[in-house]
Amino acid sequence: MTHQIAVIPGDGIGQEVTPAAVDVLEALSPDFEFVEGDAGDAVKAETGEALPQDTRDIAANSDATLFGAAGETAADVILPLRDVVGSFANVRPAVSYPGLDAVQPDTDIVFIRENTEGVYSGIESEIADGVTTLTRVVTEDASRDIAEFGFDYAAANGYDDVTVAHKANVMRETDGLFLETAEAVAEGRDAAYDTALMDALAMHLVMHPEEYGVVICPNLAGDMLSDLAAGLVGGLGLLPSANVGSENALFEPVHGSAPDIAGKGIANPSAMILSAAMLLDHLGYGDEADRVRAAVEGVLDEGPRTPDLGGDATTSDVTEAVIDRL
Ligand code: NAI
Ligand code: MG
């Protein structure tokens, strides 16, 4: 069966790493048909819209979407795109690889981030001159969905440690509900878990990442803690992610458009290629996904490496080395 894949490179290094991931997918020759869409700062400058209706339709009508990164318009692009594919869970693995000089070489953590509400609900206003507010939305339904997804993910992928991150001692209503709902889900299935205050958790993750497996987080906490974990394993060039919905999904690196290195051809394509591996898993190509991960691991270990990892290789050197290993 042919799968249609929406490809949305976006801005900055999104234009460089997305074609790299498509080249890797094409080298595996699964039965994919790629359809490209525009999004981000460049298309907004041209048309006034950061996420044209055409691109929304392409994502909605595809079996999965590969997204690179947007620049300043990121919130106008990625939040609605996650909506278009109905994704409620953002899966962000942070894994240290052999051969890299990581701050914490023994890290294997998957952040399961609530993807629809919290402080990213978009309900902000300026209520008076110099006074602004933001409404933090937390619902029982979304909290239950993310907790169930997180415990299912841990069981399916062999993670024994599940941690629920929260700040219910201060945000008593919103994180109180998040925590209480996650605890009810865990108890309903007799699953072992810990809870952790998210600020203290940030410190523990830096000092003892090996003690953590799956971390279930409210939206903003998941965004921040996963970037923190990126720093532990070698940087943002390494972290892939999946935005999973009940019927559709979008795959993107955790990083943004990286304007400081865009256009130089030196972006690390690993995060994007590993996101493509998550896409392969999602569409049932588990063996191909494992082959891609093994090829990326081999290249990370033996080179060539891009400058963010201390090397002097280009995006295409790394991509070709991954394809050679396939
Ligand atoms: P960023 O992730 O683009 O870059 C942070 C740092 O990591 C930079 O020094 C960059 O060079 C480095 N980096 C990131 N990815 C890399 C890669 N693949 N290879 C080598 N080095 C890499 O985050 P920043 O600088 O905070 O944001 C830049 C722009 O990206 C902003 O306009 C922001 O709005 C947007 N952004 C978009 C996101 C999205 O589209 N999902 C997510 C995060 C930021
Ligand atoms: Mg982020």
Side-chain angles (χ1 to χ4, degrees), residues 82 92 113 120 223-224 226-227 236 254-256:
R82 285 174 185 155
R92 296 184 158 195
R113 165 190 174 196
Y120 287 4
D223 197 5
M224 296 187 61
S226 54
D227 273 30
L236 278 167
V254 168
H255 65 71

Side-chain angles (χ1 to χ4, degrees), residues 151-226:
F151 282 103
D152 284 347
Y153 185 96
N157 294 280
Y159 287 95
D160 296 329
D161 298 307
V162 179
T163 306
V164 178
H166 68 95
K167 188 77 183 173
N169 56 336
V170 176
M171 296 183 278
R172 292 188 184 126
E173 288 296 334
T174 51
D175 264 9
L177 179 61
F178 184 82
L179 177 61
E180 186 182 296
T181 308
E183 288 184 317
V185 167
E187 276 145 30
R189 53 175 77 196
D190 219 8
Y193 70 100
D194 280 317
T195 66
L197 291 167
M198 56 177 80
D199 46 353
L201 176 60
M203 181 198 71
H204 279 284
L205 284 171
V206 170
M207 298 182 75
H208 296 291
E210 72 285 353
E211 292 177 5
Y212 296 90
V214 165
V215 182
I216 300 172
C217 311
N219 202 337
L220 172 63
D223 197 5
M224 296 187 61
L225 294 174
S226 54

Side-chain angles (χ1 to χ4, degrees), residues 220-267:
L220 172 63
D223 197 5
M224 296 187 61
L225 294 174
S226 54
D227 273 30
L228 176 141
L232 298 179
V233 302
L236 278 167
L238 296 173
L239 257 64
S241 84
N243 295 278
V244 183
S246 42
E247 280 166 29
N248 206 327
L250 176 147
F251 301 83
E252 54 167 341
V254 168
H255 65 71
S257 61
D260 53 339
I261 57 164
K264 298 183 179 161
I266 55 165

